[in-house]
Amino acid sequence: MTSVKQYGPFALLTLACLGIGCGESVTTATTSVLATPATVLTPQAPEAAKEGADPASPSPSPASDARAKPSATSAESKKSARLATALAALTIGLTPEEAEAEPVTLVPVTYQEFEARRKAKNGQTKYTLVDVWATTCGPCKENFPHLVALHHKYAGQGLAVASLTLDPTDDARALTDARKFLNSQKAVFPNYLMNEEEGVGYEKLNINAIPAVFLYGPDGKEIKRFTLDDPDNQFTYEQVEAYVSALLRGETKPK
């Protein structure tokens, strides 16, 4: 607590067909996501596709290989690049086009802007869940995978998920760590950075500690909050999911 104050071979085969054409073999396809917001790296071209390659030349290190871009004139490289993008998209549940469109982002917003963006979903979803966290909060990062799981499990049922970090905006390292963390978690939902003086986020949200989870109805009004402010009434993310699941099943006042 910080205070203030999986795809079956058929799915892969389908992507392979889309990326390079059925019947063609793929020598290798390795993908990576940079720590900077959702830049999808493409694999280095297979050795056989490199024109004029020196067999005696040493193989590139894994790091340099990950950063290498395929030759614009190599058909094999282009095919491998397309497959790599498709595979990267598969791992985070997006289309290749979405994967190239910077799916993991961290957007600085004032509290007023955050509220405006959140309420903009009014009528589009049944409920909106916001997880408040920071890179300096161990429990926040430990429980963040639960938020990602909620997104994947309930997005199709009417739940919109977002995260809001209270990392100080003047701490470059914290912001870099936040972007790296979001990419590592494949947090492809909206992620916001409270662009206010330190402490304002806690004040505006009326909380004393994080993590904290807020649930809003389709009208934008808060209907439930899960916080650690009361030492005798600490929440778990299992309780958050149980509450959300009950609401989505039609229970108006879940226990």
Side-chain angles (χ1 to χ4, degrees), residues 63-229:
S64 61
D65 183 66
R67 289 178 174 82
K69 294 182 179 180
S71 169
T73 59
S74 171
E76 285 297 322
S77 295
K78 291 179 181 178
K79 293 173 183 176
S80 294
R82 288 197 299 270
L83 178 59
T85 299
L87 291 175
L90 175 62
T91 63
I92 55 179
L94 298 175
T95 65
E97 292 75 17
E98 289 172 327
E100 292 181 331
E102 199 169 289
V104 179
T105 59
L106 180 58
V107 181
V109 290
T110 63
Y111 179 76
Q112 184 176 4
E113 290 169 339
F114 166 71
E115 285 288 277
R117 285 172 179 256
R118 178 181 65 76
K119 292 178 181 179
K121 290 185 174 293
N122 290 4
Q124 299 178 25
T125 59
K126 294 179 180 178
Y127 302 99
T128 300
L129 186 145
V130 178
D131 185 284
V132 185
W133 69 290
T135 58
T136 54
C137 169
C140 295
K141 294 191 290 185
E142 180 181 348
N143 285 288
F144 201 92
H146 290 292
L147 182 68
V148 178
L150 286 173
H151 165 68
H152 288 296
K153 188 172 182 178
Y154 296 107
Q157 300 180 40
L159 179 69
V161 166
S163 80
L164 175 66
T165 175
L166 300 184
D167 282 309
T169 56
D170 59 353
D171 188 338
R173 173 156 190 167
L175 300 187
T176 297
D177 288 346
R179 292 186 176 94
K180 287 181 179 179
F181 179 76
L182 290 171
N183 274 282
S184 72
Q185 297 298 308
K186 298 179 176 62
V188 294
F189 39 78
N191 300 286
Y192 301 111
L193 166 69
M194 183 67 76
N195 192 17
E196 302 273 11
E197 293 183 7
E198 191 170 4
V200 170
Y202 291 90
E203 178 183 345
K204 294 289 188 180
L205 294 168
N206 192 26
I207 56 175
N208 296 316
I210 52 176
V213 176
F214 296 82
L215 188 62
Y216 303 91
D219 58 359
K221 294 181 179 179
E222 180 184 321
I223 59 176
K224 180 70 174 177
R225 62 171 53 196
F226 299 84
T227 74
L228 302 176
D229 289 352

Side-chain angles (χ1 to χ4, degrees), residues 6-15 87 90:
Q6 238 171 71
Y7 284 97
F10 297 108
L12 291 175
L13 178 59
T14 300
L15 283 172
L87 291 175
L90 175 62

